[in-house]
Amino acid sequence: DQQVKQNSPSLSVQEGRISILNCDYTNSMFDYFLWYKKYPAEGPTFLISISSIKDKNEDGRFTVFLNKSAKHLSLHIVPSQPGDSAVYFCAAPYPNSGGSNYKLTFGKGTLLTVNP
Amino acid sequence: ETGVTQTPRHLVMGMTNKKSLKCEQHLGHNAMYWYKQSAKKPLELMFVYSLEERVENNSVPSRFSPECPNSSHLFLHLHTLQPEDSALYLCASSQDREAFFGQGTRLTVV
């Protein structure tokens, strides 16, 4: 059961424009979300996160919006740059068995291509 | 430098071979993970170790055998793999809800 869904496998935008990456989730117990960026043949790197007590978190060109009633979040990148071309994963942590740590469940990812 | 180092970066092995993947984290985290990424699939959690104890095993076949000798090191021992096990294997560590990943091992089973 895919609890975190990214329904757009790819997105192509022009340099300088806004990129909007979307993510939906089904588990209302999720209270924290992360976005990871991944280049080919490398591990994901953390980009930005948001807690469910907020509806927006901004870090430079990256802003994440959370709509809890719709169980939807989005990552906005503005302005987009060619170096932003990568796969972006949405993820939600939930407690391990025993509750001592968290494990991440990931969406399938969206391949962003920023054209010069 | 992500703080999580995986070796080797690439591995080609036959179906009768035995090999091991190694992961080391320098972040002082108390949990370590193995994930698998196959083509066109989401990242799949394989194993979780918390304080050196295995706390999760997500129905992974026994041909994959993890080992966590201490909080900084994690191994994935491989034997009699199948071609469909070819994938990117990612190690991660965490202290709270944010996981830090290594660069991965690209495994090809021939």
Side-chain angles (χ1 to χ4, degrees), chain B residues 43-110:
Chain B
L43 284 154
E44 301 171 63
L45 180 65
M46 300 176 73
F47 299 104
V48 181
Y49 276 83
S50 177
L51 299 171
E52 301 159 38
E53 281 193 44
R54 190 191 311 180
V55 295
E56 294 268 342
N57 176 351
N58 278 6
S59 304
V60 179
S62 59
R63 57 186 184 269
F64 295 91
S65 175
E67 178 190 0
C68 187
N70 56 61
S71 59
S72 299
H73 294 86
L74 185 66
F75 295 89
L76 187 62
H77 304 299
L78 316 170
H79 63 99
T80 59
L81 295 193
Q82 305 298 309
E84 59 265 28
D85 296 322
S86 299
L88 181 68
Y89 288 84
L90 291 158
C91 173
S93 71
S94 74
Q95 186 67 26
D96 195 359
R97 287 178 285 195
E98 181 186 322
F100 292 79
F101 286 83
Q103 301 241 35
T105 295
R106 172 64 64 185
L107 174 67
T108 303
V109 182
V110 297

Side-chain angles (χ1 to χ4, degrees), chain B residues 5-20:
Chain B
T5 305
Q6 288 186 244
T7 55
R9 291 293 309 275
H10 301 273
L11 178 62
V12 179
M13 61 185 288
M15 288 189 283
T16 57
N17 290 159
K18 289 185 180 181
K19 296 286 184 183
S20 296

Side-chain angles (χ1 to χ4, degrees), chain A residues 2 31-32 34 36 38-46 49 51 87 89 93-98 100-109, chain B residues 2 9-10 30-31 33 35 37 40-43 45 48-51 55-56 58 88 90 94-104 106:
Chain A
Q2 191 73 23
D31 62 359
Y32 196 83
L34 306 99
Y36 282 83
K38 185 182 182 301
Y39 293 115
E42 292 187 8
T45 55
F46 169 72
S49 62
S51 165
V87 178
F89 291 95
Y94 59 102
N96 292 323
S97 305
S100 58
N101 288 97
Y102 294 86
K103 54 192 174 186
L104 290 171
T105 185
F106 286 86
K108 290 187 177 183
Chain B
T2 65
R9 291 293 309 275
H10 301 273
N30 60 10
Y33 310 80
Y35 281 85
Q37 187 184 25
K40 299 184 180 178
K41 285 189 177 182
L43 284 154
L45 180 65
V48 181
Y49 276 83
S50 177
L51 299 171
V55 295
E56 294 268 342
N58 278 6
L88 181 68
L90 291 158
S94 74
Q95 186 67 26
D96 195 359
R97 287 178 285 195
E98 181 186 322
F100 292 79
F101 286 83
Q103 301 241 35
R106 172 64 64 185

